[in-house]
Amino acid sequence: AKLTVDQVPPAVVNAVKTNFDKNKPETWSKFPYALKEYGWVYDMGAAEIALDRYEVVMKTDRKTDLWAVYTNKGELVETREMSKDIPVPSDIMTQFQNSQYKDWNITGNKEIIKYYHDHSLDKTKIEQHFRINVEKDGVKRAISFNFKGTN
């Protein structure tokens, strides 16, 4: 559900300004998803529950798309940054070449996904994944790898 900034809790708006001061929010919305391993899954019961997650979408200084999810208290839960132009880090390529998808072609966008399990911006406590899209014989998959990068 798209929202205006006036419909977003002040704690969320202030947290976005603090966490992403160089980025300008483009859209705000409520977030009817549950966090699962390697991503968000639509919560089938979302219509019956009070939504307490808010998503903001913005562009970064590097012109990539950035999504951030917050609790209604302004606690950062997850960010997802998507880019077509970022190179696949060497440690991710090594993991990819040792995976069952090693014969597949890497296509399209790449994503860096960060989970803030304790809502902390402490880089040592952030779980990161690098997601790539692969394709072979007309079959497409999005696969994620643990990532220790600095982005």
Side-chain angles (χ1 to χ4, degrees):
K2 298 282 184 206
L3 304 171
T4 64
V5 70
D6 298 340
Q7 296 171 303
V8 177
V12 175
V13 175
N14 291 334
V16 170
K17 288 178 184 176
T18 300
N19 299 147
F20 304 104
D21 61 352
K22 295 180 183 174
N23 303 309
K24 294 181 181 172
E26 295 178 350
T27 60
W28 299 88
S29 57
K30 284 193 175 181
F31 196 73
Y33 295 85
L35 181 61
K36 304 292 183 188
E37 187 175 356
Y38 296 114
W40 292 91
V41 177
Y42 184 75
D43 187 341
M44 300 304 285
E48 293 84 36
I49 62 171
L51 302 177
D52 67 348
R53 299 282 192 259
Y54 292 84
E55 179 183 54
V56 59
V57 179
M58 60 196 107
K59 291 277 186 192
T60 69
D61 294 339
R62 297 184 306 267
K63 307 295 183 212
T64 60
D65 293 319
L66 178 74
W67 290 262
V69 177
Y70 286 86
T71 68
N72 60 353
K73 296 176 183 174
E75 300 165 321
L76 187 58
V77 177
E78 183 230 26
T79 62
R80 186 168 46 107
E81 187 173 347
M82 183 182 297
S83 176
K84 293 180 182 178
D85 301 325
I86 56 176
V88 178
S90 60
D91 63 321
I92 301 301
M93 281 304 295
T94 300
Q95 291 180 61
F96 172 69
Q97 290 166 347
N98 291 323
S99 77
Q100 68 187 40
Y101 298 101
K102 63 185 173 197
D103 297 327
W104 294 49
N105 295 317
I106 298 174
T107 61
N109 295 331
K110 296 146 189 98
E111 294 177 89
I112 297 172
I113 302 166
K114 298 178 183 179
Y115 298 106
Y116 302 82
H117 293 291
D118 63 356
H119 311 296
S120 168
L121 296 176
D122 179 347
K123 291 184 184 225
T124 63
K125 297 180 180 179
I126 299 171
E127 177 187 348
Q128 295 186 94
H129 300 279
F130 195 93
R131 182 178 292 163
I132 59 175
N133 296 303
V134 295
E135 183 176 352
K136 182 178 178 182
D137 300 328
V139 177
K140 297 178 182 182
R141 297 272 189 274
I143 54 176
S144 297
F145 298 94
N146 287 332
F147 180 53
K148 303 291 184 208
T150 58
N151 288 356

